[in-house]
Amino acid sequence: MSVAEIGVIGGSGFYHLLDGGRELTVQTPYGATSDVISVGEIAGRRCAFLPRHGRRHSLPPHRVPNRANIYALKELGVTQIIATAAVGALTGRHSIGQFVFADQLVDFTRGQREDTFYDGPITTHIGFSHPYCPQMRAAAARAAEQLGLPFSSEATLVVTGGPRFSTKAESDFFAAQNWHLENMTQYPEAALARELTLSYLNLSLVTNSHVEAENAHETELVEAPSVMQVLRDKLDDLKRLVAGVIELLPPGEQRPQFIRDALKNGRWV
């Protein structure tokens, strides 16, 4: 079934995209998706939108049905995924309100999530040296530049298990490794997309800064209300950026060869 070519996964604060979109419920071997999937057109491209945490934000990071979500988008014909996310800045390299298109991630989710489609009998080792699609990142940078939005197209993002925020010692450790951003949802979502040979873009919005919080002598480095306020303030810019990226993306058939061949090159046969 080819209903959509581009998938958009909405992160925290981003629960609606397609006005007048058709809502679909997709059955998967991995259970229900986070919510119904809306399909429609943006910039003449067929798109599918899925809120990662559900429209009422009822799913915390460790309960997001990642396998169902990615499988369902693949079933609808999606070949490229734009995944938005709220992130915290661990160093002074990034600031609140800036958009970032990460190029690397580190998994610190403590092994508590279902993170593969391939549990046997054919052993599969997917290459994941470069977790994010460079072609999509380039399109995102062009879109942000055209819109005059502050952005960075390079960052290493560490993914924690959540749902709690990190301790100061943990954040200091992450920063000492030269990891720039912290998030709770990019893994295993990005890896699952690669297992199904889908291109995947991390489109992050910096909602808090550990450096700024420390400079202000805050007791907590991050609190949910302040994060949500940044998300509300920047939601219109986020939607404009997503639409701009969609307009600039090449056809999915032209996605990088190493992504299209990920499954073929990962089979232990």
Side-chain angles (χ1 to χ4, degrees):
M1 163 168 56
S2 183
V3 174
E5 55 173 324
I6 298 169
V8 179
I9 297 177
S12 296
F14 188 8
Y15 311 116
H16 179 77
L17 179 63
L18 295 161
D19 292 328
R22 182 162 54 107
E23 294 187 346
L24 300 177
T25 299
V26 181
Q27 304 297 326
T28 85
Y30 308 100
T33 57
S34 293
D35 212 311
V36 294
I37 300 176
S38 300
V39 296
E41 284 198 3
I42 296 176
R45 310 288 293 273
R46 292 177 294 113
C47 300
F49 176 76
L50 174 63
R52 180 185 290 118
H53 300 282
R55 283 179 287 188
R56 298 183 182 276
H57 204 100
S58 56
L59 296 166
H62 61 295
R63 295 299 185 193
V64 172
N66 292 291
R67 292 195 297 179
N69 289 348
I70 299 299
Y71 184 93
L73 291 174
K74 172 82 170 184
E75 284 291 286
L76 292 178
V78 165
T79 55
Q80 303 177 89
I81 295 175
I82 300 169
T84 73
V87 299
L90 294 164
T91 70
R93 179 171 172 175
H94 302 97
S95 57
I96 294 174
Q98 183 180 30
F99 292 100
V100 186
F101 319 123
D103 62 322
Q104 283 294 327
L105 70 77
V106 180
D107 170 29
F108 255 70
T109 58
R110 307 189 300 273
Q112 64 178 3
R113 304 177 185 183
E114 299 285 354
D115 62 357
T116 183
F117 291 109
Y118 305 116
D119 290 318
I122 299 176
T123 301
T124 303
H125 301 282
I126 292 294
F128 203 51
S129 297
H130 302 284
Y132 299 113
C133 175
Q135 187 171 264
M136 295 186 75
R137 285 176 46 240
R142 290 198 305 273
E145 189 171 22
Q146 290 175 6
L147 292 168
L149 298 172
F151 75 94
S152 171
S153 57
E154 290 183 351
T156 296
L157 188 158
V158 58
V159 189
T160 59
R164 67 168 177 84
F165 293 119
S166 295
T167 67
K168 183 180 182 304
E170 289 169 335
S171 295
D172 288 346
F173 172 76
F174 297 155
Q177 312 313 305
N178 201 30
W179 302 338
H180 311 108
L181 305 172
E182 184 176 359
N183 167 263
M184 300 179 191
T185 56
Q186 282 291 286
Y187 189 86
E189 197 173 85
L192 292 169
R194 180 62 54 83
E195 285 195 341
L196 295 186
T197 70
L198 307 179
S199 284
Y200 185 94
L201 168 70
N202 162 253
L203 197 163
S204 287
L205 172 63
V206 180
T207 56
N208 60 283
S209 167
H210 296 191
V211 174
E212 292 182 27
E214 283 194 333
N215 290 343
H217 305 291
E218 300 286 352
T219 302
E220 291 291 346
L221 295 177
V222 55
E223 293 179 324
S226 59
V227 168
M228 291 306 299
Q229 186 60 54
V230 175
L231 290 167
R232 285 191 290 267
D233 292 344
K234 292 292 183 178
L235 182 57
D236 287 344
D237 283 346
L238 177 59
K239 289 184 176 182
R240 289 196 301 131
L241 181 54
V242 167
V245 176
I246 289 170
E247 188 172 6
L248 292 175
L249 285 177
E253 294 77 13
Q254 296 177 18
R255 65 194 187 280
Q257 191 73 38
F258 77 93
I259 295 176
R260 285 184 281 144
D261 289 345
L263 185 57
K264 179 178 70 175
N265 293 334
R267 286 285 162 82
W268 197 264
V269 291

